[in-house]
Amino acid sequence: MKVPSYSIHSESVLQPIIFVVGARPNFVKIAPLLRAMSAHQTSVASYLVHTGQHYDKNMNDQFFKDLHLPDPNINLNVGSGSHAAQTAEIMKRFEPVVDDLKPSCVVVVGDVNSTLACALVAVKKGVPVAHVEAGLRSFDRSMPEEINRILTDQISDRLYTTERSAQSNLLREAIPAERVFFAGNVMIDSVQFNRSSTRSVNLILAAAGIDPELFMLVAGYGLVTLHRPSNVDDPEILAKLMAVLVEVSQSLPLVLVLHPRTQSQLVRFGLLSVINTGRMVVLPAQGYLDMLSLLGAAKVVLTDSGGLQEETTALGVPCLTLRSSTERPITLEQGTNTLVGLDRELILSNLVAVLRGEGKKGCMPELWDGCAAERIATDLFQWLSQATPRSLTA
Ligand code: UD1
């Protein structure tokens, strides 16, 4: 097992760099960045701020453990709330941290509420913001993440992209090309770094008290995750989705890994009995390593997650995305991803293709090579060492 070392908050004459995390996908992206930062022989300290957006054992603690993340220097403990309440609370609690630390830069990742909230605080304090995973666009403004992406990119000083389409999106939104750096995908750095540390699917199922033979999982299974409010908050949509999954499970047994929101909605809408078919196993949200293991061994993944579209491409596992758009088009063009929305026929026909061995094989997109965080760390130090990075935003 690879155990990285970090030097967090070391003594330094220079102002620290704040790294912000809040939710599951942030943890996966920040781990390789902190590793890369501490590998640089520099006197700049890294300071980890956790907003507390995710807090459960499975959504938070297990990720810190699996990814060997250091304890945050500060946890703002905001917890759950409406978008406005959560974003506002993060801003209120992050502001004094910025006042106190006077960082040379705030690094935010991804597109969650914590990303936008902390970027907004920093930029209003005159602190440069670096955004990792910039420029992705679904062109669907009903997604809260799309709003977070657009606004965070507009106020960022240094923008690190994962695929070439992101650069075009940013230029279209009048962001100067010299602020943008095509670095590759830090999420894939994590996949490559951690792949060899996973345990077997049988052990994971046994730990959850599930007999794989009883559910006929031995000959292969499909992995399902669902958490987008647009898919799980409306009883009719969720019921329709569950009915399609029951049909899918007649050809391929399914393992459903459920976000706490989805789990509670299934209970609330009385849908748990619908999926109790003997061919569907329900697991609570999984930690990073067990999820990687479940993903890698699946015949197909059905999901509405953004990150899983990338991870399945990296692992060469066909992915049927239960959304009508994606902000990660490279996974469609070069990877293993297919958009199926909530369309029963599309879902079933793509499943048949996968079962016939005709699922997308894909290839690894450009710069998804496990070295994205190193490129970002090198660039970040170089950029910060320039006299007045803030002047870039003037
Ligand atoms: C957030 C991100 C989403 C990301 C997802 C990954 C935003 C707008 N959304 O969605 O982009 O894909 O994280 O998981 O930032 N809850 C718990 N325990 C927790 C956290 C949440 O039970 O540790 C439940 C609460 O009922 C909470 C709900 O999940 O109200 C939603 O949590 P929230 O952080 O608001 O958004 P996610 O749906 O997790």
Side-chain angles (χ1 to χ4, degrees):
M1 180 182 289
K2 294 179 221 165
V3 180
S5 63
Y6 299 100
S7 59
I8 289 285
H9 201 199
S10 56
E11 290 306 315
S12 164
V13 285
L14 295 169
Q15 292 310 114
I17 299 174
I18 293 182
F19 289 82
V20 174
V21 290
R24 285 187 300 189
N26 295 165
F27 310 144
V28 181
K29 290 164 197 163
I30 228 74
L33 280 173
L34 290 183
R35 243 185 351 258
M37 294 297 290
S38 62
H40 273 253
Q41 294 305 313
T42 165
S43 54
V44 181
S46 298
Y47 204 91
L48 185 62
V49 174
H50 191 332
T51 65
Q53 180 174 344
H54 284 176
Y55 44 83
D56 275 354
K57 183 175 170 294
N58 287 6
M59 305 280 283
N60 181 72
D61 305 15
Q62 192 62 46
F63 277 76
F64 270 73
K65 191 165 171 255
D66 287 354
L67 294 160
H68 302 287
L69 276 165
D71 287 340
N73 297 92
I74 292 181
N75 193 324
L76 306 178
N77 287 312
V78 292
S80 301
S82 70
H83 284 268
Q86 190 176 58
T87 307
E89 202 53 46
I90 294 169
M91 290 181 69
K92 274 165 64 182
R93 296 186 193 191
F94 187 55
E95 185 171 42
V97 177
V98 175
D99 284 341
D100 186 32
L101 282 177
K102 299 182 179 48
S104 54
C105 175
V106 170
V107 177
V108 295
V109 297
D111 55 14
V112 303
N113 287 344
S114 302
T115 309
L116 174 62
C118 293
L120 202 46
V121 170
V123 75
K124 291 211 171 195
K125 294 266 164 202
V127 174
V129 175
H131 184 204
V132 175
E133 200 189 84
L136 296 179
R137 296 290 180 270
S138 65
F139 304 101
D140 174 2
R141 288 201 179 198
S142 69
M143 286 180 77
E145 293 82 1
E146 183 75 351
I147 307 299
N148 293 341
R149 290 180 202 119
I150 294 169
L151 297 179
T152 303
D153 287 340
Q154 279 298 326
I155 56 177
S156 291
D157 302 274
R158 196 78 184 137
L159 298 97
Y160 296 107
T161 56
T162 53
E163 58 174 87
R164 290 198 182 270
S165 73
Q167 165 119 1
S168 319
N169 293 334
L170 293 170
L171 299 187
R172 201 178 327 103
E173 291 170 16
I175 289 167
E178 60 271 21
R179 283 191 205 166
V180 184
F181 182 86
F182 178 31
N185 196 330
V186 287
M187 191 160 239
I188 307 310
D189 291 6
S190 273
V191 171
Q192 297 197 359
F193 188 83
N194 291 291
R195 186 102 206 258
S196 59
S197 306
T198 57
R199 58 178 176 162
S200 77
V201 168
N202 276 350
L203 279 177
I204 297 167
L205 293 172
I210 290 160
D211 176 357
E213 290 194 17
L214 196 63
F215 287 89
M216 286 159 280
L217 299 170
V218 185
Y221 63 88
L223 185 72
V224 182
T225 82
L226 282 173
H227 75 284
R228 301 242 159 249
S230 56
N231 278 343
V232 306
D233 284 356
D234 180 316
E236 267 182 44
I237 291 177
L238 191 57
K240 185 180 158 195
L241 258 170
M242 289 305 129
V244 181
L245 292 180
V246 168
E247 278 193 74
V248 170
S249 76
Q250 285 155 10
S251 313
L252 181 69
L254 296 178
V255 176
L256 274 66
V257 175
L258 296 183
H259 185 289
R261 171 207 288 275
T262 314
Q263 214 147 10
S264 67
Q265 298 296 53
L266 285 172
V267 173
R268 195 165 141 225
F269 304 147
L271 290 168
L272 269 183
S273 57
V274 175
I275 56 176
N276 191 11
T277 61
R279 290 180 65 86
M280 285 165 90
V281 171
V282 176
L283 295 177
Q286 296 290 297
Y288 180 69
L289 290 178
D290 284 353
M291 196 60 192
L292 205 52
S293 179
L294 287 163
L295 277 174
K299 274 201 186 311
V300 62
V301 172
L302 295 102
T303 187
D304 59 9
S305 154
L308 291 197
Q309 294 172 49
E310 296 184 338
E311 289 165 342
T312 45
T313 279
L315 295 168
V317 177
C319 178
L320 306 184
T321 294
L322 302 162
R323 286 170 45 189
S324 53
S325 64
T326 181
E327 59 287 339
R328 294 160 159 92
I330 196 87
T331 62
L332 300 174
E333 293 151 14
Q334 293 181 21
T336 59
N337 192 17
T338 307
L339 287 183
V340 292
L342 307 186
D343 186 320
R344 174 185 171 273
E345 277 71 37
L346 255 185
I347 294 169
L348 294 176
S349 61
N350 274 282
L351 177 77
V352 169
V354 168
L355 293 178
R356 280 201 198 120
E358 293 162 9
K360 272 186 166 180
K361 306 277 182 290
C363 61
M364 197 67 100
E366 189 181 2
L367 296 189
W368 290 22
D369 58 359
C371 304
E374 281 162 40
R375 284 187 285 272
I376 292 172
T378 304
D379 178 82
L380 193 61
F381 284 125
Q382 207 172 9
W383 176 66
L384 285 173
S385 67
Q386 290 163 6
T388 49
R390 183 99 289 248
S391 64
L392 287 171
T393 57

